[in-house]
Amino acid sequence: MLQSKMDRLFNATNLFFLTVIGLVTLFPLYYVLVVSFSDPAEFIRNKATLFPKKWSLDSYRYLLSTNSFMHAMGNSAFLATVGTMLSLFVTSCLSYALSRRRLQGRRVMLLLILLTTLFNPGIIPPYLLIRDLHLINSTWSLILPVLTSGWYVLLMKGFFDSIPSSLEEAARIDGCNDIGVWWRIILPLSLPSLAAFGLFYAVAYWNTFFTALLYINDFNKQPLQVLLQNMLIDSSTASGGTAAVEITAEQQIPSETLKMAAVVIATVPILMVYPFLQKHFAKGAMVGSVKE
Amino acid sequence: MSQATERRRSIWKGVKRDRFLYLLALPGIVFFILFKYVPMWGILISFQDYSPYQGMWASPWIGFEHYIRFFSNPDFLILFRNTMAINLLSLIFFFPLPILLSVMMNELRGNKFRKTIQSIVYLPHFLSWVIIVGITFLLLSTGEGIVNQLLVAAGLNKIDFLTNPNYFWVLLTVQSIWKDAGWGTVLFLAAMAGIDPQLNEAAKMDGAGRLRQIWHITLPGIRSVVIILLILRIGHIMDVGFEQVFLMMNGAVSEVADVFDTYVYRLGIKQGQLSFSTAVGVFKSLVGLILVIGANKLAKKFGEDGVY
């Protein structure tokens, strides 16, 4: 009896704190939505309100008709789709090959890949490489250097390790070669894991900022995050590129409502894939990394 | 002699047999060689007086001069202090939170609420730093920021969160917590799901309450994951997320904000001091490598698994 009373108290306290944590996490996002849907003039007059006093879609309408914004969205969409597909392809090919125990040189390759996760040469040497490859100002400079990562290869290899080899043998008897086994047997079986890695890659490409800062000077090739930086962060110091100029043509500094509408639009693609892939997160994040 | 030939022949046979596997591995291998190992050679320019016009082959060698210059430079101490401060704050305040949070989520009985809470706390992880810094400005700026408006409404003074150096490190820590504490629960929850429920049943029979079960079963059950993550974290103690600091930095806080990566970016990319800033980067990575190997050794000494 006492036990169950304590139990109920525990559950109630736990529930309470988790609800508070949830609300604290959500509040900034909720407030972004409120500001983005507020009437710009009304927002300046009233500033913070927890609910828009006067609804308006003006900010969205304006942004979606702005060439530079749509162009940057397009650049990021290209990055996210093409980059993700290439990354999944390269990662799964290599991971599958490395998961076959009979492959000669496998241990050396795994060791060399592990080393890349422990030591990185910093910012400048990769920059010089990209420059020497003449990839400065090319969209490929945002894809090729991050095509795969040692971690993801090791994680995905761990996942492939767990697929029973009898499946591979059966396919072999039916006349498949290794590429056939990978494509027809292994990949279909790994769809949940591919979905998780695909999401991680897609989000990383969609959020590309630092490499674009390093490698892309051409305004037309800049991804969304760089334009957002110009709008959200650099706008007051006016060091932004032409994007900020075009967007700020009307007002000197883009209004808060406009900024937050941009934040919302930039977040929508992530929110759209999120529910479909959420159930696979854990799988993708932990395959092979939690030792029993 | 013939044995060596024999072995070579059998290796060749294996390669021929697995030619399709090697073909599958090829793009990935080319990637690692070109984008991971070729830049390792680039480290050599930190021992040179590198000039882009002469290239790596013709630039004069000067040994450790850049390294010595960096260590004797007052900038070094500032960068080191900032990096350590930001990381120690994160180690003390950020690191334990996902553990606490996942224990709390693990104790939830209702499945629906649990899923909802998970969806919510995972979400900020997927937002870019640009957006998170943008939201921070929206909330905290002295002009339109809602927090300062609330302070004014409550009859208090405004606080210049964004330009006061005293708040900078705290602000970074809070941002990291909001962004990633929830995401940090993924691994712990997975490890907790692997704990045998019979252990809890047995403990309950012995009269252990919920807190005792957490202390004696759940926490020991995730110990190895905690240690692995701690080792990895220690290996990154010289890293501070470049994007976060770069975006949050402004003239007023640069004294407490400058870290190794922002310094390398400014001196290397912006000012073209390629050799010197490469030396800074190499120093940073080397310390990280030594720390991770050291932490791993230590973990093994205490009978834990370690990372590798």
Side-chain angles (χ1 to χ4, degrees):
Chain A
M1 195 59 214
L2 182 77
Q3 194 66 48
S4 82
K5 213 180 217 167
M6 286 290 285
D7 237 32
R8 244 179 291 156
L9 183 69
F10 180 94
N11 282 337
T13 325
N14 195 23
L15 213 64
F16 171 75
F17 280 113
L18 279 172
T19 310
V20 170
I21 290 170
L23 291 177
V24 168
T25 310
L26 276 184
F27 176 75
L29 299 174
Y30 168 77
Y31 187 59
V32 166
L33 269 181
V34 168
V35 173
S36 75
F37 283 113
S38 297
D39 181 71
E42 187 67 23
F43 179 78
I44 289 173
R45 221 171 307 134
N46 273 312
K47 293 191 173 155
T49 48
L50 292 182
F51 196 76
K53 283 226 171 84
K54 199 172 152 200
W55 284 77
S56 159
L57 288 172
D58 284 357
S59 304
Y60 288 93
R61 225 172 273 137
Y62 180 70
L63 268 184
L64 294 176
S65 67
T66 311
N67 276 330
S68 56
F69 190 82
M70 294 314 283
H71 200 78
M73 287 276 283
N75 288 343
S76 284
F78 176 84
L79 263 183
T81 47
V82 175
T84 304
M85 283 193 293
L86 283 174
S87 288
L88 278 181
F89 174 76
V90 172
T91 312
S92 65
C93 285
L94 180 61
S95 307
Y96 176 64
L98 290 173
S99 73
R100 300 300 95 181
R101 292 183 164 276
R102 61 171 193 277
L103 191 77
Q104 286 167 4
R106 173 175 168 272
R107 289 181 65 90
V108 180
M109 287 190 263
L110 283 171
L111 183 74
L112 288 176
I113 288 171
L114 182 69
L115 277 181
T116 65
T117 66
L118 294 175
F119 183 83
N120 75 75
I123 296 169
I124 307 294
Y127 172 79
L128 294 179
L129 174 69
I130 294 294
R131 194 199 58 186
D132 291 345
L133 292 172
H134 300 286
L135 288 177
I136 297 283
N137 275 332
S138 153
T139 307
W140 295 106
S141 70
L142 306 182
I143 295 179
L144 295 177
V146 290
L147 206 46
T148 184
S149 84
W151 281 120
Y152 284 2
V153 169
L154 296 174
L155 287 178
M156 208 185 264
K157 176 202 157 278
F159 179 81
F160 289 143
D161 280 342
S162 66
I163 295 176
S165 60
S166 53
L167 284 170
E168 183 191 338
E169 279 149 29
R172 266 176 192 291
I173 292 168
D174 290 343
C176 269
N177 63 27
D178 286 311
I179 295 179
V181 172
W182 168 74
W183 179 252
R184 290 205 205 138
I185 311 291
I186 304 297
L187 285 192
L189 278 174
S190 344
L191 281 181
S193 154
L194 290 177
F197 284 104
L199 176 73
F200 297 153
Y201 277 126
V203 170
Y205 281 116
W206 185 256
N207 287 345
T208 295
F209 174 70
F210 180 41
T211 45
L213 200 66
L214 286 178
Y215 303 141
I216 307 286
N217 310 312
D218 181 349
F219 171 71
N220 286 315
K221 289 178 178 157
Q222 238 141 32
L224 185 61
Q225 303 298 333
V226 176
L227 181 111
L228 281 176
Q229 187 224 358
N230 289 339
M231 270 184 77
L232 297 175
I233 296 157
D234 257 3
S235 57
S236 45
T237 53
S239 66
T242 28
V245 175
E246 187 187 337
I247 281 171
T248 54
E250 280 184 40
Q251 306 113 312
Q252 209 49 41
I253 294 169
S255 68
E256 296 299 303
T257 57
L258 198 61
K259 290 181 185 177
M260 292 310 128
V263 166
V264 174
I265 296 174
T267 314
V268 162
I270 291 172
L271 292 185
M272 274 174 9
V273 290
Y274 191 77
F276 296 105
L277 298 167
Q278 202 207 349
K279 55 182 176 221
H280 305 306
F281 287 171
K283 204 167 226 159
M286 64 169 280
V287 270
S289 64
V290 179
K291 293 179 187 173
E292 292 301 323
Chain B
M1 179 68 181
S2 73
Q3 220 172 359
T5 345
E6 190 74 11
R7 205 166 60 209
R8 214 175 305 146
R9 193 169 293 158
S10 89
I11 288 176
W12 178 239
K13 244 168 125 178
V15 171
K16 214 171 138 189
R17 178 196 63 207
D18 294 330
R19 60 190 180 282
F20 291 116
L21 277 186
Y22 287 104
L23 197 64
L24 279 176
L26 191 66
I29 291 173
V30 171
F31 165 84
F32 278 101
I33 292 174
L34 184 58
F35 289 103
K36 296 288 173 184
Y37 280 96
V38 169
M40 297 247 189
W41 286 103
I43 285 173
L44 289 178
I45 72 164
S46 68
F47 303 103
Q48 288 185 328
D49 196 7
Y50 176 81
S51 125
Y53 306 104
Q54 286 173 297
M56 224 175 109
W57 301 110
S59 293
W61 294 88
I62 57 165
F64 284 92
E65 210 171 282
H66 290 303
Y67 290 87
I68 294 164
R69 203 181 110 209
F70 178 54
F71 294 134
S72 54
N73 189 326
D75 289 350
F76 172 71
L77 283 177
I78 293 173
L79 296 177
F80 197 75
R81 180 200 65 188
N82 294 345
T83 308
M84 284 300 142
I86 293 166
N87 269 304
L88 286 178
L89 279 176
S90 148
L91 210 55
I92 296 166
F93 293 100
F94 176 89
F95 190 81
L97 274 181
I99 302 172
L100 182 71
L101 197 54
S102 41
V103 167
M104 289 167 76
M105 298 203 310
N106 193 51
E107 295 294 324
L108 278 183
R109 294 299 180 246
N111 227 345
K112 226 178 193 164
F113 183 70
R114 186 180 161 147
K115 282 215 171 104
T116 314
I117 264 293
Q118 282 183 328
S119 314
I120 291 172
V121 296
Y122 291 167
L123 187 58
H125 171 75
F126 296 97
L127 303 180
S128 71
W129 276 115
V130 176
I131 284 181
I132 287 176
V133 173
I135 295 176
T136 309
F137 286 7
L138 175 78
L139 296 175
L140 298 183
S141 75
T142 38
E144 290 99 353
I146 187 169
V147 172
N148 272 316
Q149 289 184 55
L150 288 175
L151 286 176
V152 170
L156 300 164
N157 285 329
K158 285 189 175 182
I159 300 174
D160 52 346
F161 296 101
L162 300 167
T163 50
N164 186 334
N166 293 332
Y167 293 116
F168 189 76
W169 294 338
V170 180
L171 219 51
L172 290 192
T173 312
V174 173
Q175 280 180 329
S176 301
I177 289 173
W178 186 74
K179 186 178 200 279
D180 280 328
W183 183 245
T185 63
V186 172
L187 285 178
F188 297 123
L189 282 171
M192 284 176 194
I195 296 173
D196 188 352
Q198 282 182 351
L199 290 175
N200 285 306
E201 288 304 318
K204 224 185 278 174
M205 292 292 218
D206 292 342
R210 297 277 282 277
L211 288 173
R212 286 198 141 235
Q213 289 177 46
I214 290 171
W215 185 253
H216 289 293
I217 295 164
T218 311
L219 288 179
I222 58 168
R223 194 173 70 163
S224 61
V225 184
V226 172
I227 288 172
I228 288 172
L229 291 180
L230 193 61
I231 295 172
L232 292 175
R233 185 71 199 74
I234 287 170
H236 284 284
I237 213 148
M238 298 295 280
D239 285 322
V240 177
F242 171 86
E243 297 188 4
Q244 185 187 11
V245 176
F246 176 78
L247 293 166
M248 286 294 290
M249 215 167 167
N250 55 56
V253 296
S254 60
E255 183 76 356
V256 292
D258 216 6
V259 291
F260 291 105
D261 283 341
T262 48
Y263 189 75
V264 169
Y265 175 75
R266 201 172 59 245
L267 264 68
I269 307 288
K270 291 278 158 199
Q271 299 176 19
Q273 299 188 38
L274 293 166
S275 285
F276 179 70
S277 53
T278 305
V280 178
V282 170
F283 163 74
K284 193 201 94 172
S285 296
L286 216 53
V287 174
L289 179 69
I290 292 166
L291 283 174
V292 102
I293 291 173
N296 203 46
K297 273 224 168 94
L298 209 65
K300 281 190 174 158
K301 212 171 206 172
F302 285 105
E304 293 293 339
D305 265 345
V307 181
Y308 47 89

Short mmCIF file of all heavy atoms in Angstrom, two decimals, chain B residues 102-140:
data_model
loop_
_atom_site.label_atom_id
_atom_site.label_comp_id
_atom_site.label_asym_id
_atom_site.label_seq_id
_atom_site.Cartn_x
_atom_site.Cartn_y
_atom_site.Cartn_z
N SER B 102 16.94 10.55 -19.76
CA SER B 102 16.55 9.22 -20.25
C SER B 102 16.07 8.33 -19.10
O SER B 102 15.19 7.50 -19.32
CB SER B 102 17.67 8.56 -21.06
OG SER B 102 18.91 8.76 -20.48
N VAL B 103 16.63 8.52 -17.90
CA VAL B 103 16.09 7.78 -16.76
C VAL B 103 14.62 8.17 -16.56
O VAL B 103 13.74 7.31 -16.40
CB VAL B 103 16.91 8.07 -15.48
CG1 VAL B 103 16.17 7.55 -14.25
CG2 VAL B 103 18.27 7.41 -15.57
N MET B 104 14.35 9.48 -16.62
CA MET B 104 12.97 9.93 -16.43
C MET B 104 12.05 9.37 -17.52
O MET B 104 10.95 8.91 -17.23
CB MET B 104 12.91 11.47 -16.44
CG MET B 104 13.52 12.10 -15.20
SD MET B 104 13.78 13.87 -15.42
CE MET B 104 12.10 14.46 -15.25
N MET B 105 12.52 9.40 -18.77
CA MET B 105 11.67 8.92 -19.86
C MET B 105 11.49 7.41 -19.77
O MET B 105 10.44 6.88 -20.10
CB MET B 105 12.26 9.32 -21.21
CG MET B 105 12.33 10.83 -21.35
SD MET B 105 12.39 11.52 -22.99
CE MET B 105 13.63 10.65 -23.81
N ASN B 106 12.52 6.74 -19.29
CA ASN B 106 12.45 5.29 -19.16
C ASN B 106 11.42 4.86 -18.11
O ASN B 106 10.84 3.78 -18.19
CB ASN B 106 13.83 4.75 -18.79
CG ASN B 106 13.92 3.24 -18.95
OD1 ASN B 106 13.56 2.71 -20.00
ND2 ASN B 106 14.40 2.56 -17.92
N GLU B 107 11.21 5.73 -17.13
CA GLU B 107 10.26 5.40 -16.05
C GLU B 107 8.82 5.70 -16.43
O GLU B 107 7.91 5.42 -15.66
CB GLU B 107 10.62 6.18 -14.78
CG GLU B 107 11.96 5.79 -14.16
CD GLU B 107 11.97 4.35 -13.63
OE1 GLU B 107 10.93 3.91 -13.11
OE2 GLU B 107 13.01 3.68 -13.77
N LEU B 108 8.61 6.30 -17.60
CA LEU B 108 7.24 6.64 -18.02
C LEU B 108 6.46 5.37 -18.29
O LEU B 108 6.96 4.45 -18.94
CB LEU B 108 7.27 7.49 -19.29
CG LEU B 108 7.51 8.99 -19.12
CD1 LEU B 108 7.43 9.65 -20.48
CD2 LEU B 108 6.49 9.59 -18.18
N ARG B 109 5.23 5.33 -17.81
CA ARG B 109 4.42 4.14 -18.04
C ARG B 109 3.59 4.27 -19.32
O ARG B 109 3.45 3.34 -20.07
CB ARG B 109 3.54 3.86 -16.82
CG ARG B 109 4.34 3.49 -15.58
CD ARG B 109 5.15 2.20 -15.84
NE ARG B 109 5.93 1.82 -14.67
CZ ARG B 109 7.25 1.83 -14.63
NH1 ARG B 109 7.94 2.20 -15.69
NH2 ARG B 109 7.89 1.46 -13.55
N GLY B 110 3.03 5.41 -19.53
CA GLY B 110 2.17 5.59 -20.71
C GLY B 110 3.01 5.68 -21.98
O GLY B 110 3.93 6.46 -22.08
N ASN B 111 2.68 4.84 -22.94
CA ASN B 111 3.47 4.79 -24.17
C ASN B 111 3.28 6.02 -25.04
O ASN B 111 4.21 6.50 -25.68
CB ASN B 111 3.07 3.55 -24.96
CG ASN B 111 4.31 2.81 -25.44
OD1 ASN B 111 5.40 3.37 -25.41
ND2 ASN B 111 4.13 1.58 -25.85
N LYS B 112 2.05 6.54 -25.05
CA LYS B 112 1.73 7.65 -25.93
C LYS B 112 2.45 8.91 -25.49
O LYS B 112 3.07 9.60 -26.31
CB LYS B 112 0.22 7.88 -25.92
CG LYS B 112 -0.34 8.05 -27.32
CD LYS B 112 -1.83 8.22 -27.31
CE LYS B 112 -2.38 8.06 -28.72
NZ LYS B 112 -3.81 7.83 -28.71
N PHE B 113 2.39 9.17 -24.19
CA PHE B 113 3.06 10.36 -23.67
C PHE B 113 4.56 10.25 -23.91
O PHE B 113 5.22 11.22 -24.28
CB PHE B 113 2.77 10.51 -22.18
CG PHE B 113 3.36 11.75 -21.58
CD1 PHE B 113 2.84 12.99 -21.91
CD2 PHE B 113 4.45 11.68 -20.72
CE1 PHE B 113 3.39 14.14 -21.38
CE2 PHE B 113 5.00 12.82 -20.19
CZ PHE B 113 4.47 14.06 -20.51
N ARG B 114 5.08 9.05 -23.72
CA ARG B 114 6.51 8.84 -23.93
C ARG B 114 6.93 9.18 -25.36
O ARG B 114 7.92 9.86 -25.60
CB ARG B 114 6.81 7.38 -23.61
CG ARG B 114 8.28 7.10 -23.65
CD ARG B 114 8.53 5.65 -23.33
NE ARG B 114 9.84 5.30 -23.82
CZ ARG B 114 10.63 4.42 -23.21
NH1 ARG B 114 10.23 3.79 -22.16
NH2 ARG B 114 11.81 4.17 -23.70
N LYS B 115 6.12 8.70 -26.32
CA LYS B 115 6.45 8.99 -27.73
C LYS B 115 6.39 10.48 -28.00
O LYS B 115 7.22 11.04 -28.72
CB LYS B 115 5.46 8.25 -28.64
CG LYS B 115 5.80 6.77 -28.76
CD LYS B 115 5.47 6.25 -30.16
CE LYS B 115 6.04 4.85 -30.35
NZ LYS B 115 4.99 3.82 -30.28
N THR B 116 5.35 11.14 -27.44
CA THR B 116 5.21 12.58 -27.67
C THR B 116 6.42 13.32 -27.12
O THR B 116 7.02 14.16 -27.81
CB THR B 116 3.94 13.09 -26.97
OG1 THR B 116 2.87 12.20 -27.26
CG2 THR B 116 3.59 14.48 -27.43
N ILE B 117 6.78 12.99 -25.88
CA ILE B 117 7.91 13.67 -25.25
C ILE B 117 9.19 13.44 -26.05
O ILE B 117 9.98 14.35 -26.29
CB ILE B 117 8.06 13.16 -23.79
CG1 ILE B 117 7.36 14.11 -22.83
CG2 ILE B 117 9.48 12.99 -23.36
CD1 ILE B 117 7.96 15.46 -22.69
N GLN B 118 9.36 12.21 -26.54
CA GLN B 118 10.56 11.94 -27.34
C GLN B 118 10.57 12.77 -28.61
O GLN B 118 11.58 13.40 -28.94
CB GLN B 118 10.62 10.45 -27.69
CG GLN B 118 11.11 9.61 -26.52
CD GLN B 118 11.25 8.15 -26.86
OE1 GLN B 118 10.50 7.63 -27.68
NE2 GLN B 118 12.19 7.47 -26.21
N SER B 119 9.45 12.80 -29.33
CA SER B 119 9.41 13.61 -30.56
C SER B 119 9.78 15.04 -30.28
O SER B 119 10.45 15.69 -31.08
CB SER B 119 8.02 13.59 -31.19
OG SER B 119 7.52 12.30 -31.23
N ILE B 120 9.31 15.55 -29.14
CA ILE B 120 9.57 16.96 -28.83
C ILE B 120 11.04 17.19 -28.50
O ILE B 120 11.65 18.09 -29.06
CB ILE B 120 8.67 17.43 -27.66
CG1 ILE B 120 7.22 17.47 -28.11
CG2 ILE B 120 9.11 18.81 -27.18
CD1 ILE B 120 6.24 17.73 -26.99
N VAL B 121 11.60 16.38 -27.62
CA VAL B 121 12.97 16.68 -27.20
C VAL B 121 14.01 16.34 -28.29
O VAL B 121 15.10 16.88 -28.27
CB VAL B 121 13.36 15.99 -25.87
CG1 VAL B 121 12.51 16.51 -24.73
CG2 VAL B 121 13.30 14.49 -25.97
N TYR B 122 13.67 15.46 -29.21
CA TYR B 122 14.61 15.18 -30.31
C TYR B 122 14.66 16.33 -31.31
O TYR B 122 15.67 16.55 -31.96
CB TYR B 122 14.20 13.92 -31.08
CG TYR B 122 14.34 12.60 -30.35
CD1 TYR B 122 13.75 11.45 -30.84
CD2 TYR B 122 15.09 12.51 -29.18
CE1 TYR B 122 13.89 10.23 -30.18
CE2 TYR B 122 15.23 11.30 -28.51
CZ TYR B 122 14.62 10.17 -29.01
OH TYR B 122 14.75 8.98 -28.37
N LEU B 123 13.54 17.03 -31.43
CA LEU B 123 13.36 17.97 -32.54
C LEU B 123 14.47 19.02 -32.70
O LEU B 123 15.01 19.18 -33.80
CB LEU B 123 11.99 18.64 -32.40
CG LEU B 123 11.55 19.53 -33.55
CD1 LEU B 123 11.52 18.75 -34.85
CD2 LEU B 123 10.18 20.10 -33.26
N PRO B 124 14.85 19.73 -31.64
CA PRO B 124 15.83 20.82 -31.84
C PRO B 124 17.17 20.34 -32.40
O PRO B 124 17.88 21.13 -33.03
CB PRO B 124 16.02 21.39 -30.43
CG PRO B 124 14.79 21.02 -29.69
CD PRO B 124 14.37 19.70 -30.24
N HIS B 125 17.48 19.07 -32.20
CA HIS B 125 18.73 18.53 -32.72
C HIS B 125 18.84 18.73 -34.24
O HIS B 125 19.94 18.87 -34.78
CB HIS B 125 18.81 17.04 -32.39
CG HIS B 125 19.94 16.32 -33.07
ND1 HIS B 125 21.25 16.47 -32.67
CD2 HIS B 125 19.97 15.48 -34.13
CE1 HIS B 125 22.03 15.74 -33.45
NE2 HIS B 125 21.28 15.13 -34.34
N PHE B 126 17.70 18.74 -34.91
CA PHE B 126 17.71 18.79 -36.37
C PHE B 126 17.72 20.21 -36.93
O PHE B 126 17.75 20.41 -38.13
CB PHE B 126 16.53 17.99 -36.94
CG PHE B 126 16.63 16.53 -36.62
CD1 PHE B 126 15.96 15.99 -35.54
CD2 PHE B 126 17.45 15.71 -37.37
CE1 PHE B 126 16.08 14.64 -35.23
CE2 PHE B 126 17.59 14.37 -37.07
CZ PHE B 126 16.90 13.84 -36.00
N LEU B 127 17.67 21.19 -36.04
CA LEU B 127 17.72 22.57 -36.51
C LEU B 127 19.17 23.01 -36.67
O LEU B 127 20.04 22.58 -35.92
CB LEU B 127 17.01 23.50 -35.52
CG LEU B 127 15.56 23.16 -35.21
CD1 LEU B 127 14.98 24.16 -34.23
CD2 LEU B 127 14.73 23.15 -36.49
N SER B 128 19.41 23.87 -37.65
CA SER B 128 20.78 24.33 -37.87
C SER B 128 21.17 25.35 -36.80
O SER B 128 20.32 25.96 -36.16
CB SER B 128 20.90 24.98 -39.24
OG SER B 128 20.23 26.22 -39.23
N TRP B 129 22.48 25.53 -36.63
CA TRP B 129 22.94 26.54 -35.68
C TRP B 129 22.51 27.94 -36.11
O TRP B 129 22.25 28.79 -35.28
CB TRP B 129 24.46 26.47 -35.50
CG TRP B 129 24.85 25.44 -34.49
CD1 TRP B 129 25.57 24.30 -34.71
CD2 TRP B 129 24.50 25.43 -33.08
NE1 TRP B 129 25.70 23.59 -33.54
CE2 TRP B 129 25.06 24.26 -32.54
CE3 TRP B 129 23.78 26.29 -32.26
CZ2 TRP B 129 24.92 23.92 -31.18
CZ3 TRP B 129 23.64 25.96 -30.92
CH2 TRP B 129 24.20 24.79 -30.40
N VAL B 130 22.45 28.17 -37.40
CA VAL B 130 22.00 29.49 -37.87
C VAL B 130 20.61 29.78 -37.30
O VAL B 130 20.35 30.86 -36.77
CB VAL B 130 21.99 29.55 -39.41
CG1 VAL B 130 21.44 30.88 -39.87
CG2 VAL B 130 23.38 29.32 -39.97
N ILE B 131 19.74 28.78 -37.40
CA ILE B 131 18.38 28.98 -36.92
C ILE B 131 18.35 29.11 -35.40
O ILE B 131 17.65 29.97 -34.85
CB ILE B 131 17.48 27.82 -37.41
CG1 ILE B 131 17.18 28.04 -38.89
CG2 ILE B 131 16.20 27.73 -36.59
CD1 ILE B 131 16.28 27.02 -39.51
N ILE B 132 19.14 28.30 -34.73
CA ILE B 132 19.12 28.36 -33.26
C ILE B 132 19.65 29.71 -32.76
O ILE B 132 19.09 30.31 -31.85
CB ILE B 132 19.90 27.17 -32.67
CG1 ILE B 132 19.04 25.93 -32.87
CG2 ILE B 132 20.21 27.38 -31.19
CD1 ILE B 132 19.65 24.65 -32.44
N VAL B 133 20.70 30.20 -33.41
CA VAL B 133 21.21 31.51 -33.02
C VAL B 133 20.18 32.59 -33.37
O VAL B 133 19.96 33.53 -32.59
CB VAL B 133 22.58 31.78 -33.68
CG1 VAL B 133 23.04 33.20 -33.43
CG2 VAL B 133 23.62 30.81 -33.15
N GLY B 134 19.52 32.43 -34.50
CA GLY B 134 18.46 33.37 -34.88
C GLY B 134 17.35 33.41 -33.83
O GLY B 134 16.88 34.48 -33.44
N ILE B 135 16.94 32.25 -33.36
CA ILE B 135 15.90 32.18 -32.34
C ILE B 135 16.40 32.81 -31.03
O ILE B 135 15.67 33.52 -30.35
CB ILE B 135 15.46 30.71 -32.09
CG1 ILE B 135 14.80 30.15 -33.35
CG2 ILE B 135 14.49 30.63 -30.93
CD1 ILE B 135 14.41 28.69 -33.24
N THR B 136 17.67 32.55 -30.71
CA THR B 136 18.25 33.16 -29.51
C THR B 136 18.15 34.68 -29.57
O THR B 136 17.77 35.33 -28.59
CB THR B 136 19.73 32.75 -29.36
OG1 THR B 136 19.83 31.35 -29.47
CG2 THR B 136 20.29 33.21 -28.04
N PHE B 137 18.48 35.24 -30.72
CA PHE B 137 18.38 36.70 -30.88
C PHE B 137 16.94 37.16 -30.68
O PHE B 137 16.67 38.17 -30.03
CB PHE B 137 18.88 37.13 -32.26
CG PHE B 137 20.37 37.07 -32.42
CD1 PHE B 137 21.17 36.51 -31.43
CD2 PHE B 137 20.99 37.56 -33.57
CE1 PHE B 137 22.55 36.44 -31.57
CE2 PHE B 137 22.37 37.50 -33.72
CZ PHE B 137 23.15 36.93 -32.72
N LEU B 138 16.01 36.39 -31.27
CA LEU B 138 14.60 36.76 -31.16
C LEU B 138 14.16 36.80 -29.70
O LEU B 138 13.42 37.68 -29.28
CB LEU B 138 13.73 35.75 -31.92
CG LEU B 138 12.21 35.96 -31.78
CD1 LEU B 138 11.75 37.08 -32.68
CD2 LEU B 138 11.45 34.69 -32.07
N LEU B 139 14.65 35.85 -28.92
CA LEU B 139 14.23 35.77 -27.53
C LEU B 139 14.96 36.76 -26.64
O LEU B 139 14.38 37.32 -25.72
CB LEU B 139 14.45 34.35 -26.98
CG LEU B 139 13.64 33.23 -27.63
CD1 LEU B 139 14.07 31.88 -27.07
CD2 LEU B 139 12.15 33.42 -27.42
N LEU B 140 16.25 36.99 -26.91
CA LEU B 140 17.08 37.69 -25.93
C LEU B 140 17.53 39.08 -26.30
O LEU B 140 18.13 39.77 -25.47
CB LEU B 140 18.32 36.84 -25.61
CG LEU B 140 18.09 35.46 -25.00
CD1 LEU B 140 19.41 34.80 -24.68
CD2 LEU B 140 17.23 35.55 -23.75
#
